[in-house]
Amino acid sequence: MADSTSVNLFKALVGAVRMAPGRSEIVVDAATFPTDGYVAESVAGLMNVELRAATADRLDDVLGERTAVVLLNQVDYRTGRLYDMASATETVHGAGARVVWDLCHSVGVLPIELDALGVDFAVGCTYKFLNGGPGAPAFIYVRKDLQGAFEQPLAGWGGHRDPFAMAPTYEPAAGIERARAGTPDILSLLALEAALEVWDGVDLAEVRAKGLALTGFFIECVDELVGDAVEVVTPRDGMRGHQVSLRHDDARALMAELIAREVIGDFRAPDIMRFGFAPLYNRYGDALSAARALADALATLKDAPARP
Ligand SMILES: Cc1ncc(COP(=O)(O)O)c(C=O)c1O
């Protein structure tokens, strides 16, 4: 646990490029959350490598001997689509490259087998489905056998082999501790520790089953109560996270109406409303209430005078 997702992404990407001498390209998920694209662009500039875009399920055409690292999101933040981590990781490895998975929208949603799948790097936040609270610290994962070769660029005293020796030269800690930069956010970590206790003894397979059922039920309610007035952009098959995204031309105004009805989702420009379902405390009744509030909000907007 350390820093924010953006900072950990920076460390992971630089570390991955450094592990691939002679390779000259970073490939980034075309639909990525903006910070990933910005950080990747910055790393590409800093390390004098190219940047290319690709989608997680169509990597074959893009990857090649030039590719050092591929940065992918397990769940698309906009549509809620879930990508197959096993097959994408295999494809990246087949090209001799490393993969960095951004797990912000999947951690706490489903079992994620990083070790078993041989994933190289992963990062993610704890303030979404893990309920860490605003600004909760992020995490970085580096595969065990790569940790000794992981040269992260923020070589601060926190990652030193012996931080309190105050040695004049940097010597990284042997394992994942080297991913630290400076002083940990102790107050935030304490809050996160309390948030994570809720997960003790929880089976993620059950969380996943309930999340799929909740999101599926919400989609059914929306179909029934709202019909074609909105477009469901989240996949209806099992390849989704625990969010449902709906498209509507007036999504911003609709979400404001929903928030006034105490249904708090969010708006993503230009026309997406996102509804997140946390199976540990959201119920089927909540899903039905949200769909009813949506029907009500649509009726209010329809009755409102046309905007200039
Ligand atoms: C997929 C994804 N990556 C990265 C971030 C940003 O992370 P941070 O603000 O912790 O740097 C977010 C934030 O919502 C996100 O959704």
Side-chain angles (χ1 to χ4, degrees), residues 12 16 19 68-70 85 88-90 92-94 96-101 113-115 117-123 140-147 150 176:
M19 280 178 191
V69 56
V70 183
M85 179 180 274
T89 299
E90 203 180 314
V92 174
H93 286 169
R98 310 258 182 228
V99 69
V100 179
W101 282 99
E113 306 286 345
L114 299 177
D115 290 338
L117 297 181
V119 165
D120 306 297
F121 302 91
V123 297
I140 176 165
Y141 165 94
V142 182
R143 206 176 72 205
K144 194 109 189 146
D145 61 305
L146 295 180
Q147 288 173 7
F150 178 50
I176 192 64

Side-chain angles (χ1 to χ4, degrees), residues 4-7 9 33 35-36 73 77 102 104-105 125 127-128 138:
S4 71
T5 312
S6 308
V7 175
L9 260 174
F33 183 82
T35 213
D36 302 47
N73 290 261
Y77 82 101
D102 182 330
C104 282
H105 293 267
C125 63
Y127 49 71
K128 298 187 197 292

Side-chain angles (χ1 to χ4, degrees), residues 52-91:
R52 291 178 85 192
T55 34
D57 54 354
R58 286 211 215 116
L59 293 170
D60 273 330
D61 316 338
V62 176
L63 305 192
E65 287 178 357
R66 308 164 308 280
T67 315
V69 56
V70 183
L71 169 55
L72 299 171
N73 290 261
Q74 193 178 10
V75 171
D76 183 310
Y77 82 101
R78 209 180 256 121
T79 64
R81 167 152 189 203
L82 171 71
Y83 286 98
D84 182 343
M85 179 180 274
S87 87
T89 299
E90 203 180 314
T91 307

Side-chain angles (χ1 to χ4, degrees), residues 1-306:
M1 305 300 312
D3 306 312
S4 71
T5 312
S6 308
V7 175
N8 289 332
L9 260 174
F10 179 73
K11 296 174 201 165
L13 283 177
V14 172
V17 173
R18 283 178 171 170
M19 280 178 191
R23 290 186 174 238
S24 58
E25 178 183 85
I26 298 174
V27 172
V28 185
D29 189 337
T32 197
F33 183 82
T35 213
D36 302 47
Y38 304 156
V39 171
E41 192 176 350
S42 167
V43 172
L46 210 60
M47 305 201 66
N48 206 17
V49 296
E50 300 289 318
L51 188 64
R52 291 178 85 192
T55 34
D57 54 354
R58 286 211 215 116
L59 293 170
D60 273 330
D61 316 338
V62 176
L63 305 192
E65 287 178 357
R66 308 164 308 280
T67 315
V69 56
V70 183
L71 169 55
L72 299 171
N73 290 261
Q74 193 178 10
V75 171
D76 183 310
Y77 82 101
R78 209 180 256 121
T79 64
R81 167 152 189 203
L82 171 71
Y83 286 98
D84 182 343
M85 179 180 274
S87 87
T89 299
E90 203 180 314
T91 307
V92 174
H93 286 169
R98 310 258 182 228
V99 69
V100 179
W101 282 99
D102 182 330
L103 307 180
C104 282
H105 293 267
S106 53
V107 66
V109 167
L110 72 171
I112 302 173
E113 306 286 345
L114 299 177
D115 290 338
L117 297 181
V119 165
D120 306 297
F121 302 91
V123 297
C125 63
T126 56
Y127 49 71
K128 298 187 197 292
F129 292 100
L130 291 180
N131 304 320
F139 59 86
I140 176 165
Y141 165 94
V142 182
R143 206 176 72 205
K144 194 109 189 146
D145 61 305
L146 295 180
Q147 288 173 7
F150 178 50
E151 281 181 53
Q152 65 108 337
L154 301 174
W157 78 303
H160 195 279
R161 186 173 62 78
D162 187 1
F164 287 96
M166 306 290 163
T169 50
Y170 181 75
E171 278 181 61
I176 192 64
E177 294 83 1
R178 66 173 57 194
R180 276 197 211 113
T183 304
D185 292 324
I186 297 298
L187 295 181
S188 305
L189 284 169
L190 283 173
L192 176 62
E193 194 166 41
L196 293 181
E197 275 169 15
V198 172
W199 293 85
D200 287 350
V202 170
D203 179 350
L204 272 166
E206 286 180 24
V207 172
R208 175 59 173 159
K210 173 91 183 279
L212 272 180
L214 268 172
T215 47
F217 178 62
F218 179 63
I219 292 172
E220 273 180 50
C221 293
V222 169
D223 284 345
E224 189 69 28
L225 297 172
V226 176
D228 291 346
V230 296
E231 180 195 346
V232 178
V233 294
T234 299
R236 288 169 181 267
D237 59 17
M239 293 306 278
R240 61 172 182 266
H242 289 180
Q243 88 187 50
V244 175
S245 300
L246 305 177
R247 180 174 284 133
H248 186 276
D249 285 347
D250 245 342
R252 183 194 287 275
L254 260 181
M255 187 48 77
E257 289 288 341
L258 282 167
I259 290 171
R261 289 163 176 77
E262 298 190 332
V263 173
I264 304 177
D266 66 9
F267 162 73
R268 285 288 171 265
D271 54 6
I272 298 280
M273 291 175 288
R274 299 191 308 181
F275 299 82
F277 291 88
L280 294 193
Y281 54 84
N282 281 139
R283 296 162 174 238
Y284 296 100
D286 297 327
L288 176 59
S289 306
R292 283 191 174 137
L294 179 62
D296 192 45
L298 276 163
T300 305
L301 274 199
K302 214 166 150 202
D303 294 341

